[in-house]
Amino acid sequence: MSIYLDNQAAKPVDDRVISEMMLYFNEKFANPASLHCDGDVATDILEKSREKIANFVNASNSSDILFTSGATESNNLGIIGAAMRQKNKGNHIIISEIEHISILNIGKYLEKEGFRVSRLAVDRFGGIRLDKLEKLITDETILISISTASNEVGTLQPTAEISKIAQEKGVLFHTDAVSSESVIPIDVQEVPIDLITLSSNDIYGPRGVGALYLKKGVRVNPIIIGGGQERGMRSGSENVPGIVGFAKAAEIAKEEMPKESEKLKILRDKLIKNVLDTIPKSYLNGHPEKRLPHNAHFRFDYIEGESLILTLKEHNIAAATGSACSSKTLEPSHTLIAMGLLHEEAHGSLLVSLGRTTRESDIDHLLEVLPDQVKRLRKLSPLTPSDLLKKYEEVK
Amino acid sequence: MKSTQYSDKVLDHFKNPRNVGEIEDADGIGQVGNPVCGDLMWIYIKVGKNDEGEEIIDDIKFKTFGCGSAVSTSSMITEMAKGMTLDEAYKISRQDVADELNGLPPIKMHCSNLAADALQAAIDNYRLGTNPEVEIVTSCQLGVRVILGIEKYFGKGAYDAVPVDLEELREKRVLIVDSGDESLELALELTNYTGRVIVVTSAKSIPGNVEIRKKLKHSEVKLLQESELIEIKGELDEVEKVVIHDNDEDENYELFVDVVIVMDYRG
């Protein structure tokens, strides 16, 4: 097992969650739609779980929660479902340049369906331009979808301000909260948001489960048609064991979040400080303060990210990069480009995401390995300037 | 197949690359690739003669910026080519390199398998006898070309003079077109206000007088050499991105910025 620092790609399921789920695979396995006693047991646990998720976002009604198969489905249901439902009110939707790929592709899909989609610009730290958001809204605007934080560079978005603007203009506001839900509390009483995408795995629950929070009175057109489960908005027999796990994960997350976030922040700051101090020509991508407590995203000049990931792999460290060479499309990360980085700069990025299982010794190990490996790749690279190489020789 | 699903041999060459470095008195140098695309490869050769009097590759070294397969193919080809006659070495194909490495992921076959091209370029360089040194041209004083769309952005992120209050540019992404030393001094000054200052220059090396060149070299100003600003774009008539033409590669690309400064723009 390697030192796992790729928690924004997938998280381990918490042991407490796994033990909670077991009963619902083979003992209390019935379909909540069934009328017999076993069905009642399933309905009962399904609704209790729904309450726990509602509690997780501080919603007053558990019926505000719809269960889905995960964040991608919640984004589809939330955005496409709301757009289709509001079609007679207008055809304009606003997303940002740096949304998760599922939302960017939903944007492209809706354009084909006749909607106009604006992509809000971001500043050099990856924060959305609030002044531009206001100007982009027209009478035709029906929906804004901006994530709570960048899933790559970790920059937090001003969700409360967006919510205020959306309310004033009478436009629905959807947010994908997946990248922040494990570390930053969601409180829909304090910051009213119309639709929120949640994922189970991102709070250390099982994969294949998620939820869409819908504010009271907000409805979406279904995108999965069937037996009319989830108030007719999401058909299909409920994944009861998964939902039970999701609910347990939410319960634990809510309880432990303040302490856990604080711990992660300390580790993250130690990592960022040491990397920037010890590695010349290294930079932090994203906002220095307004960022996810578990995200550190670096850029190293003169080297390429996939090479770096392979090198770290040799040293038993699992991390990620926004380099084109690691992607299926061979395009560098759209987020880094939208922040104003050149392609060759975006190639040299490293994403380190911490999580519940991360220990200080993991960070120390990375800090031991990383400077030498960056140096090794720079010595190989024709882009490295001679004065930097000379400096490396001197240290030796 | 994942992009990083490499054979053991590829990984071995990545971990322990052979023949890394430069040959100072190289007979031929080949450079291929482009850091924008994520790969750049330099191959250096030293030519000697074998017993039959044929020209052979006596020594070969490489430097590479790129992903795992870019490093491995560079290393592999240096092992293959060492001792070969120039004619034999010239015939090594991309496929030969990939085969010798027990295959490459399909997605990498074209993008990061440039070693054979680099070696051919080095042999060409030797045979054509041209000077392998890159020619150095000093600062561009050529004036600025027409920039599409710039007029409507004046006052909305585009400036044709030094902005009155530099404070307005705090933490903005600023792109300055090199129109001489004054513009370069402004770029240096602006690094006190923002971490992102980009200078577009048609010069092939660092532009400016001796002092400015020295300062630029040690500053955080990002230089785009051999490049021109050709268009400004943005929703709501505010500067959002620019189109840059890379004269060396003869291609255009977009870059997100907030501010564009073109001093004394005359269209």
Side-chain angles (χ1 to χ4, degrees), chain A residues 136-151:
Chain A
L136 278 175
I137 297 172
T138 70
D139 292 345
E140 288 290 305
T141 310
I142 49 174
L143 177 70
I144 300 168
S145 178
I146 310 275
S147 301
T148 51
S150 160
N151 64 309

Side-chain angles (χ1 to χ4, degrees), chain A residues 123-354:
Chain A
D123 61 26
R124 78 182 196 89
F125 299 116
I128 61 138
R129 298 270 310 267
L130 270 179
D131 55 322
K132 286 209 168 186
L133 172 63
E134 230 164 324
K135 287 184 214 160
L136 278 175
I137 297 172
T138 70
D139 292 345
E140 288 290 305
T141 310
I142 49 174
L143 177 70
I144 300 168
S145 178
I146 310 275
S147 301
T148 51
S150 160
N151 64 309
E152 282 182 62
V153 297
T155 302
L156 304 178
Q157 303 297 358
T159 315
E161 284 83 354
I162 302 170
S163 148
K164 214 169 141 229
I165 293 170
Q167 273 189 311
E168 276 166 18
K169 306 267 184 181
V171 177
L172 290 180
F173 173 33
H174 165 261
T175 193
D176 175 348
V178 168
S179 56
S180 72
E181 62 179 26
S182 69
V183 282
I184 295 170
I186 302 168
D187 185 338
V188 295
Q189 311 281 347
E190 200 182 301
V191 178
I193 298 172
D194 299 294
L195 307 106
I196 304 175
T197 288
L198 298 168
S199 146
S200 157
N201 184 236
D202 278 82
I203 47 173
Y204 309 92
R207 263 185 261 186
V209 197
L212 180 68
Y213 160 81
L214 284 177
K215 193 167 83 181
K216 200 167 191 261
V218 176
R219 285 189 70 88
V220 290
N221 281 5
I223 53 174
I224 293 177
I225 313 296
Q229 286 89 345
E230 301 296 293
R231 296 197 285 138
M233 287 183 272
R234 202 285 185 180
S235 289
S237 293
E238 298 85 350
N239 169 7
V240 175
I243 289 167
V244 167
F246 182 16
K248 180 68 184 173
E251 202 174 53
I252 297 170
K254 187 150 182 133
E255 166 100 17
E256 300 183 355
M257 198 180 294
K259 231 174 135 185
E260 192 167 290
S261 291
E262 196 47 42
K263 177 198 107 174
L264 291 169
K265 208 167 152 230
I266 291 167
L267 291 180
R268 178 204 69 182
D269 289 343
K270 175 179 179 175
L271 172 65
I272 291 175
K273 188 179 179 305
N274 277 277
V275 166
L276 299 183
D277 283 354
T278 56
I279 303 180
K281 292 282 174 190
S282 61
Y283 305 88
L284 179 71
N285 289 323
H287 200 282
E289 287 108 36
K290 289 181 221 159
R291 70 182 304 125
L292 292 170
H294 61 315
N295 170 297
H297 198 287
F298 300 104
R299 168 162 77 81
F300 303 107
D301 278 353
Y302 323 121
I303 62 171
E304 192 278 318
E306 194 220 72
S307 274
L308 188 56
I309 296 303
L310 270 181
T311 299
L312 293 177
K313 192 173 171 184
E314 296 301 325
H315 289 81
N316 216 22
I317 297 170
T321 174
S323 167
C325 302
S326 67
S327 74
K328 281 186 199 149
T329 56
L330 297 177
E331 283 292 322
S333 140
H334 65 277
T335 302
L336 298 176
I337 297 301
M339 286 161 62
L341 291 190
L342 294 156
H343 280 225
E344 62 262 42
E345 293 173 317
H347 289 308
S349 67
L350 173 71
L351 166 57
V352 180
S353 50
L354 322 183

Side-chain angles (χ1 to χ4, degrees), chain A residues 97 116 118-119 121-125 129 131-132 135-136 281 283 299 301-304 306-308 310-311 313-314 324-330 337-345 347 376-383 387 389, chain B residues 3-4 6 11 14-17 20 35-42 62-69 71 107-108 111-112 171-173 194-196 198 217-220 222 224 235-236 238-241 253-258:
Chain A
E97 289 274 8
R116 186 167 73 84
S118 297
R119 290 163 186 83
V122 296
D123 61 26
R124 78 182 196 89
F125 299 116
R129 298 270 310 267
D131 55 322
K132 286 209 168 186
K135 287 184 214 160
L136 278 175
K281 292 282 174 190
Y283 305 88
R299 168 162 77 81
D301 278 353
Y302 323 121
I303 62 171
E304 192 278 318
E306 194 220 72
S307 274
L308 188 56
L310 270 181
T311 299
K313 192 173 171 184
E314 296 301 325
C325 302
S326 67
S327 74
K328 281 186 199 149
T329 56
L330 297 177
I337 297 301
M339 286 161 62
L341 291 190
L342 294 156
H343 280 225
E344 62 262 42
E345 293 173 317
H347 289 308
R376 181 182 96 82
L377 291 172
R378 280 180 174 169
K379 282 187 176 171
L380 272 173
S381 168
L383 298 177
D387 51 344
L389 287 176
Chain B
S3 70
T4 49
Y6 292 132
L11 288 173
F14 175 73
K15 278 184 280 178
N16 310 299
V20 176
V36 174
C37 314
D39 288 296
L40 181 65
M41 221 173 260
W42 288 76
F62 81 94
K63 283 217 155 180
T64 289
F65 161 84
C67 63
S69 66
V71 172
I107 197 167
K108 298 288 188 184
C111 76
S112 309
E171 293 305 352
K172 293 272 163 64
R173 294 164 293 193
T194 173
R196 189 62 168 173
I198 302 160
K217 202 176 168 192
H218 296 103
S219 74
E220 288 298 335
K222 181 80 195 173
L224 303 179
E235 264 195 83
L236 307 162
E238 279 180 34
V239 173
E240 228 164 54
K241 51 187 162 186
Y253 61 91
E254 290 186 340
L255 182 61
F256 283 84
V257 298
D258 305 303

Side-chain angles (χ1 to χ4, degrees), chain B residues 110-173:
Chain B
H110 296 289
C111 76
S112 309
N113 188 3
L114 302 170
D117 306 59
L119 178 56
Q120 283 161 14
I123 296 171
D124 281 342
N125 175 256
Y126 165 70
R127 284 178 165 163
L128 295 172
T130 48
N131 185 357
E133 294 285 321
V134 180
E135 206 177 306
I136 291 171
V137 175
T138 47
S139 178
C140 101
Q141 299 284 353
L142 303 171
V144 175
R145 282 214 321 202
V146 175
I147 300 166
L148 284 175
I150 190 164
E151 284 85 4
K152 69 173 179 181
Y153 295 104
F154 284 133
K156 288 176 173 172
Y159 296 80
D160 59 355
V162 178
V164 181
D165 184 8
L166 294 185
E167 205 46 59
E168 278 176 25
L169 308 188
R170 192 160 284 283
E171 293 305 352
K172 293 272 163 64
R173 294 164 293 193

Side-chain angles (χ1 to χ4, degrees), chain B residues 33-54:
Chain B
N34 173 352
V36 174
C37 314
D39 288 296
L40 181 65
M41 221 173 260
W42 288 76
I43 284 193
Y44 301 79
I45 55 169
K46 190 82 194 150
V47 178
K49 288 225 165 101
N50 65 11
D51 296 343
E52 281 85 54
E54 294 166 308

Side-chain angles (χ1 to χ4, degrees), chain B residues 4 8 25 31 40 58 64-65 75 97 111 133 141 164 180 184 186 237 249 253 261 265:
Chain B
T4 49
D8 289 343
D25 54 344
Q31 182 199 339
L40 181 65
D58 236 5
T64 289
F65 161 84
S75 167
V97 181
C111 76
E133 294 285 321
Q141 299 284 353
V164 181
L184 301 171
L186 174 64
D237 290 346
E249 297 289 328
Y253 61 91
I261 303 175
Y265 180 74

